[in-house]
Structure formats: C-alpha cells, structure tokens
Amino acid sequence: MSFDHIMYGCEDGIAVITFNRPKALNALNAALLKEFDAALDNVESDPAVRVLVLTGAGDKAFVAGADINEINQLGPLGAKRFARRGAEGITRLTRLAVPVIAAVNGFALGGGTEMALACDFIYAAQSARFGLPEINLGIIPGFGGTQRLPRLIGPARARELIYTGRMIEADEALRLGIVNRVCADGELMDAVRETARLIAAKGRVALRAAKQAINTGLNVDLESGLALENDAFALCLASPDAQEGTGAFLEKRPAVFSGPLDDD
Ligand code: CO8
C-alpha cells in the first residue's frame, strides 16, 4: 500500500511512522487510520523491526486529534464505527511484539493524546501540548482516553483533565507521569533514537515477553500477573537469546542477540 497521509520507514531496526497531514495538524481522518493500520501490518510482518517510533510531520503537531470535519458529519452509528475502528487500530500498538515510543512534538490533543497513551512510553518536546478537549466539542474521548488516562495517572487527575478539556504543557505532563522525558525541541528525535537503539540491541523474545507481561499484567490481579510473568520467564529461557545473554556474561563479552526471526 502506498501512503499519502503517513510516512513509513525502517532503518537499523527502528521503524518510524510519521503522521503526515501538517496542514490539518496531522488530524486523524479515516484515510489516515487505514494507512496507519497498513503500516502496523508492515511492522508485524518485518522481523527486522525491533522498535517502532511514532511522530508528527511539521513543527506544530504530533496529532491534533480525530478529524473534526469527519466527526461533524457522523451520526451515532457512524460515530460508533469510526471510534471503534480508530480505537482498535490504536490498541494494536499495545499488542505489537516490539516496543513503541511516542515522540510528541507540538499538539497531541484528543486522539493524539490517546494515540500517545497507547504507546509503551512517551518522550515529548518542550513545545508539546497534551489534552483531551473533546468535552469542548460536546463529545467524550473515543479512542481509549477515558480508560488509559485514569489507569496511567489515577482517576481523580484524569477526571479533571477530561471534564475541563484543559491543555497541559510538557512539564506538567512529565509531573503527572504521562511523559517519561522532556527534550529541547530540536533534540527530541535524537533522544528518542538513542533510547530506541538501546532497546533495539536487546533480545526480541525477551522484549516481547516483557511487553506482554506488563500489558496483560496491568489488567489482571497481582497473583495472575505473577503467574503470567513466571510462564513468560520460562519461555524466554527456551530462546537462543537467553543462552547468548547468560553465556556472554560468563565469557565476559558483550551479548549479540539475533533471536529467532520466525517467532511471530
Ligand atoms: N480536525 C480537523 N482539522 C483540524 C484539527 C482537527 N482535530 N485540528 C486542527 N485542524 C486544522 C484547522 O482547522 C486549521 O485548518 P485551516 O487552516 O484549513 O483552517 C489547521 O488545522 C490549523 O489549525 P489552527 O488554525 O486552529 O491552528 P492554531 O495554532 O490556531 O490552533 C489548535 C491549534 C489549538 C490545536 C487548534 O487547531 C485546535 O483546537 N484543534 C482541535 C483540537 C481538538 O479539539 N482535538 C480533539 C478532536 S476530537 C477527538 O480527537 C476525538 C477522538 C475520538 C474520535 C471518535 C470519533 C467518532
């Protein structure tokens, strides 16, 4: 599939999806979401991909939300379909075998914040602005915001942001725990790539096991989560990467993880 509304590329194991409708502040319309889904197919089918990074084209926005022109034309059933498709596409990020980093530059509002919240973690430029302003449009977040934000920062803080629709700056997002790190505007992608390279050098099987254990474990009770971790740990030991990692330590040399390439 060729892409008009996003850009997709992969170099040295780091795939990058760039939302690319800068004139509309990279707002998510149906066509873009379809391309996003196809790009995630690429990520899933390419064993060379070790980390995925999401970012926005231009210097103003990551994603300024779902496309309000399209929302304005929807009836309830169309809205349900649009919201479900978008939410499912975004939720795919949590199920990918590889970690996903959101590199948030400029506005990440509504669906933009929701997209970033579904990533494994977020780095933000100083200019980044987060918020769930749907309440100002007479609607509520529809791409997972009412579920992921309370789980991440606690229900009381999430309620305040969702009920007021208030936009927050990168430093407040850092204090609230939405963002892991705030970078100078021109340094965001370098910082993201540096962390992505560190992750890309790790074992593919262990990364996938860690991601699944964390994400599934967050939705179950502690005892079930610990049982899940125990199984995932045992599976890691069956992978060549565990032999390589432990062997390299004992031989006092750096580990080189090649991992099975057909493990999906
Ligand atoms: N949708 C469509 N177009 C947009 C959007 C958007 N979300 N955001 C910005 N644009 C367009 C503007 O209309 C404008 O276009 P034009 O130049 O043709 O007039 C262009 O981008 C530039 O925007 P501004 O001139 O407004 O730029 P400013 O710097 O003055 O303001 C803001 C930037 C503050 C980001 C402002 O554009 C804004 O408030 N945008 C809307 C933010 C918003 O409300 N987002 C939430 C959308 S709803 C949502 O995400 C719900 C998710 C679940 C959906 C479920 C579907 C059923």
Side-chain angles (χ1 to χ4, degrees), residues 21-28 60 64-71 74 78-80 82-84 107 109-112 114 131-134 136-137 139-144 167:
R21 298 182 67 211
K23 283 190 184 140
L25 305 188
N26 304 323
L28 306 170
K60 269 192 85 173
D67 192 309
I68 298 170
N69 296 299
E70 290 192 356
I71 295 178
L74 294 170
K80 190 170 170 65
F82 185 89
R84 194 179 56 233
F107 295 108
L109 300 175
E114 293 173 293
L132 293 174
E134 286 89 341
N136 300 325
L137 301 169
I139 57 176
I140 65 167
F143 289 161
M167 204 165 11

Side-chain angles (χ1 to χ4, degrees), residues 198-224:
L198 280 178
I199 295 172
K202 310 300 179 199
R204 192 175 153 84
V205 174
L207 282 174
R208 183 175 61 175
K211 176 165 176 166
Q212 283 181 351
I214 293 167
N215 284 351
T216 311
L218 281 170
N219 292 320
V220 299
D221 62 276
L222 180 61
E223 202 173 326
S224 309

Side-chain angles (χ1 to χ4, degrees), residues 76-246:
L77 289 181
K80 190 170 170 65
R81 202 175 316 120
F82 185 89
R84 194 179 56 233
R85 279 199 192 136
E88 280 172 2
I90 288 172
T91 294
R92 276 185 78 186
L93 295 170
T94 66
R95 297 198 198 104
L96 289 178
V98 299
V100 187
I101 307 174
V104 173
N105 49 325
F107 295 108
L109 300 175
T113 280
E114 293 173 293
M115 178 73 77
L117 288 175
C119 295
D120 286 273
F121 56 86
I122 304 171
Y123 279 15
Q126 196 70 57
S127 63
R129 299 288 179 272
F130 295 84
L132 293 174
E134 286 89 341
I135 204 83
N136 300 325
L137 301 169
I139 57 176
I140 65 167
F143 289 161
T146 64
Q147 302 306 304
R148 292 201 173 93
L149 191 63
R151 282 168 169 79
L152 186 65
I153 67 172
R157 287 176 167 149
R159 283 185 195 109
E160 188 180 332
L161 287 179
I162 291 169
Y163 297 168
T164 63
R166 185 167 69 86
M167 204 165 11
I168 60 171
E169 299 195 351
D171 290 330
E172 186 172 354
L174 182 68
R175 277 198 303 281
L176 287 172
I178 294 174
V179 157
N180 278 17
R181 185 163 159 190
V182 177
C183 311
D185 282 356
E187 292 166 14
L188 174 66
M189 282 313 279
D190 284 347
V192 168
R193 280 185 192 282
E194 192 185 325
T195 300
R197 268 194 297 274
L198 280 178
I199 295 172
K202 310 300 179 199
R204 192 175 153 84
V205 174
L207 282 174
R208 183 175 61 175
K211 176 165 176 166
Q212 283 181 351
I214 293 167
N215 284 351
T216 311
L218 281 170
N219 292 320
V220 299
D221 62 276
L222 180 61
E223 202 173 326
S224 309
L226 291 171
L228 200 136
E229 182 191 76
N230 190 249
D231 283 344
F233 182 85
L235 273 177
C236 285
L237 259 294
S239 93
D241 282 344
Q243 283 300 309
E244 167 63 11
T246 54

